[in-house]
PDB file of all heavy atoms in Angstrom:
ATOM      1  N   LYS Z 246     -35.313  -2.729  31.152  1.00 87.00           N
ATOM      2  CA  LYS Z 246     -35.014  -1.284  31.058  1.00 87.00           C
ATOM      3  C   LYS Z 246     -33.515  -1.003  31.343  1.00 87.00           C
ATOM      4  O   LYS Z 246     -32.928  -0.148  30.700  1.00 87.00           O
ATOM      5  CB  LYS Z 246     -35.889  -0.506  32.072  1.00 87.00           C
ATOM      6  CG  LYS Z 246     -37.345  -0.357  31.653  1.00 87.00           C
ATOM      7  CD  LYS Z 246     -38.106   0.397  32.754  1.00 87.00           C
ATOM      8  CE  LYS Z 246     -39.570   0.535  32.382  1.00 87.00           C
ATOM      9  NZ  LYS Z 246     -40.355   1.113  33.499  1.00 87.00           N
ATOM     10  N   GLU Z 247     -32.967  -1.764  32.296  1.00 78.00           N
ATOM     11  CA  GLU Z 247     -31.538  -1.606  32.585  1.00 78.00           C
ATOM     12  C   GLU Z 247     -30.702  -1.965  31.399  1.00 78.00           C
ATOM     13  O   GLU Z 247     -29.653  -1.400  31.099  1.00 78.00           O
ATOM     14  CB  GLU Z 247     -31.158  -2.522  33.773  1.00 78.00           C
ATOM     15  CG  GLU Z 247     -31.752  -2.111  35.146  1.00 78.00           C
ATOM     16  CD  GLU Z 247     -31.432  -3.116  36.227  1.00 78.00           C
ATOM     17  OE1 GLU Z 247     -30.536  -3.964  36.056  1.00 78.00           O
ATOM     18  OE2 GLU Z 247     -32.124  -3.095  37.237  1.00 78.00           O
ATOM     19  N   GLY Z 248     -31.161  -3.047  30.662  1.00 77.00           N
ATOM     20  CA  GLY Z 248     -30.452  -3.436  29.426  1.00 77.00           C
ATOM     21  C   GLY Z 248     -30.358  -2.374  28.399  1.00 77.00           C
ATOM     22  O   GLY Z 248     -29.315  -2.158  27.792  1.00 77.00           O
ATOM     23  N   PHE Z 249     -31.462  -1.630  28.214  1.00 81.00           N
ATOM     24  CA  PHE Z 249     -31.444  -0.566  27.223  1.00 81.00           C
ATOM     25  C   PHE Z 249     -30.522   0.528  27.623  1.00 81.00           C
ATOM     26  O   PHE Z 249     -29.680   1.010  26.819  1.00 81.00           O
ATOM     27  CB  PHE Z 249     -32.905   0.030  27.075  1.00 81.00           C
ATOM     28  CG  PHE Z 249     -32.960   1.129  26.088  1.00 81.00           C
ATOM     29  CD1 PHE Z 249     -33.002   0.848  24.713  1.00 81.00           C
ATOM     30  CD2 PHE Z 249     -32.982   2.463  26.470  1.00 81.00           C
ATOM     31  CE1 PHE Z 249     -33.050   1.933  23.756  1.00 81.00           C
ATOM     32  CE2 PHE Z 249     -33.069   3.470  25.538  1.00 81.00           C
ATOM     33  CZ  PHE Z 249     -33.076   3.199  24.191  1.00 81.00           C
ATOM     34  N   THR Z 250     -30.556   0.965  28.873  1.00 80.00           N
ATOM     35  CA  THR Z 250     -29.663   2.099  29.353  1.00 80.00           C
ATOM     36  C   THR Z 250     -28.172   1.697  29.267  1.00 80.00           C
ATOM     37  O   THR Z 250     -27.303   2.482  28.946  1.00 80.00           O
ATOM     38  CB  THR Z 250     -30.034   2.545  30.753  1.00 80.00           C
ATOM     39  OG1 THR Z 250     -30.032   1.421  31.612  1.00 80.00           O
ATOM     40  CG2 THR Z 250     -31.427   3.181  30.807  1.00 80.00           C
ATOM     41  N   THR Z 251     -27.936   0.390  29.625  1.00 74.00           N
ATOM     42  CA  THR Z 251     -26.539  -0.068  29.538  1.00 74.00           C
ATOM     43  C   THR Z 251     -26.038  -0.086  28.137  1.00 74.00           C
ATOM     44  O   THR Z 251     -24.879   0.359  27.874  1.00 74.00           O
ATOM     45  CB  THR Z 251     -26.461  -1.542  30.104  1.00 74.00           C
ATOM     46  OG1 THR Z 251     -26.929  -1.527  31.419  1.00 74.00           O
ATOM     47  CG2 THR Z 251     -25.038  -2.091  30.073  1.00 74.00           C
ATOM     48  N   ALA Z 252     -26.841  -0.521  27.149  1.00 77.00           N
ATOM     49  CA  ALA Z 252     -26.423  -0.529  25.753  1.00 77.00           C
ATOM     50  C   ALA Z 252     -26.093   0.856  25.253  1.00 77.00           C
ATOM     51  O   ALA Z 252     -25.087   1.057  24.501  1.00 77.00           O
ATOM     52  CB  ALA Z 252     -27.537  -1.135  24.842  1.00 77.00           C
ATOM     53  N   VAL Z 253     -26.862   1.883  25.624  1.00 81.00           N
ATOM     54  CA  VAL Z 253     -26.595   3.257  25.273  1.00 81.00           C
ATOM     55  C   VAL Z 253     -25.312   3.741  25.899  1.00 81.00           C
ATOM     56  O   VAL Z 253     -24.496   4.403  25.276  1.00 81.00           O
ATOM     57  CB  VAL Z 253     -27.769   4.193  25.659  1.00 81.00           C
ATOM     58  CG1 VAL Z 253     -27.436   5.623  25.416  1.00 81.00           C
ATOM     59  CG2 VAL Z 253     -29.017   3.807  24.824  1.00 81.00           C
ATOM     60  N   ARG Z 254     -25.072   3.364  27.184  1.00 76.00           N
ATOM     61  CA  ARG Z 254     -23.962   3.842  27.947  1.00 76.00           C
ATOM     62  C   ARG Z 254     -22.604   3.401  27.355  1.00 76.00           C
ATOM     63  O   ARG Z 254     -21.548   4.056  27.486  1.00 76.00           O
ATOM     64  CB  ARG Z 254     -24.081   3.400  29.401  1.00 76.00           C
ATOM     65  CG  ARG Z 254     -23.237   4.200  30.350  1.00 76.00           C
ATOM     66  CD  ARG Z 254     -23.715   4.069  31.820  1.00 76.00           C
ATOM     67  NE  ARG Z 254     -23.813   2.715  32.304  1.00 76.00           N
ATOM     68  CZ  ARG Z 254     -24.891   2.143  32.774  1.00 76.00           C
ATOM     69  NH1 ARG Z 254     -26.033   2.778  32.786  1.00 76.00           N
ATOM     70  NH2 ARG Z 254     -24.877   0.899  33.165  1.00 76.00           N
ATOM     71  N   ILE Z 255     -22.565   2.182  26.749  1.00 75.00           N
ATOM     72  CA  ILE Z 255     -21.280   1.669  26.285  1.00 75.00           C
ATOM     73  C   ILE Z 255     -20.890   2.232  24.874  1.00 75.00           C
ATOM     74  O   ILE Z 255     -19.731   1.968  24.427  1.00 75.00           O
ATOM     75  CB  ILE Z 255     -21.286   0.153  26.204  1.00 75.00           C
ATOM     76  CG1 ILE Z 255     -22.313  -0.383  25.174  1.00 75.00           C
ATOM     77  CG2 ILE Z 255     -21.455  -0.472  27.598  1.00 75.00           C
ATOM     78  CD1 ILE Z 255     -22.286  -1.916  25.016  1.00 75.00           C
ATOM     79  N   ILE Z 256     -21.767   2.907  24.188  1.00 81.00           N
ATOM     80  CA  ILE Z 256     -21.445   3.364  22.800  1.00 81.00           C
ATOM     81  C   ILE Z 256     -20.161   4.175  22.717  1.00 81.00           C
ATOM     82  O   ILE Z 256     -19.295   3.877  21.892  1.00 81.00           O
ATOM     83  CB  ILE Z 256     -22.692   4.213  22.195  1.00 81.00           C
ATOM     84  CG1 ILE Z 256     -23.844   3.211  21.942  1.00 81.00           C
ATOM     85  CG2 ILE Z 256     -22.280   4.844  20.863  1.00 81.00           C
ATOM     86  CD1 ILE Z 256     -25.128   3.909  21.515  1.00 81.00           C
ATOM     87  N   PRO Z 257     -19.925   5.250  23.549  1.00 82.00           N
ATOM     88  CA  PRO Z 257     -18.726   6.001  23.387  1.00 82.00           C
ATOM     89  C   PRO Z 257     -17.410   5.225  23.552  1.00 82.00           C
ATOM     90  O   PRO Z 257     -16.447   5.401  22.836  1.00 82.00           O
ATOM     91  CB  PRO Z 257     -18.821   7.081  24.476  1.00 82.00           C
ATOM     92  CG  PRO Z 257     -20.260   7.124  24.837  1.00 82.00           C
ATOM     93  CD  PRO Z 257     -20.807   5.758  24.626  1.00 82.00           C
ATOM     94  N   TYR Z 258     -17.456   4.254  24.499  1.00 74.00           N
ATOM     95  CA  TYR Z 258     -16.268   3.415  24.764  1.00 74.00           C
ATOM     96  C   TYR Z 258     -15.995   2.477  23.587  1.00 74.00           C
ATOM     97  O   TYR Z 258     -14.825   2.261  23.257  1.00 74.00           O
ATOM     98  CB  TYR Z 258     -16.496   2.611  26.073  1.00 74.00           C
ATOM     99  CG  TYR Z 258     -16.690   3.471  27.317  1.00 74.00           C
ATOM    100  CD1 TYR Z 258     -17.975   3.876  27.688  1.00 74.00           C
ATOM    101  CD2 TYR Z 258     -15.608   3.906  28.057  1.00 74.00           C
ATOM    102  CE1 TYR Z 258     -18.141   4.669  28.833  1.00 74.00           C
ATOM    103  CE2 TYR Z 258     -15.746   4.747  29.161  1.00 74.00           C
ATOM    104  CZ  TYR Z 258     -17.057   5.135  29.508  1.00 74.00           C
ATOM    105  OH  TYR Z 258     -17.204   5.928  30.588  1.00 74.00           O
TER     106      TYR Z 258
END
Side-chain angles (χ1 to χ4, degrees):
K246 284 178 182 174
E247 292 174 18
F249 181 78
T250 54
T251 301
V253 172
R254 198 160 58 236
I255 64 175
I256 292 173
Y258 299 91

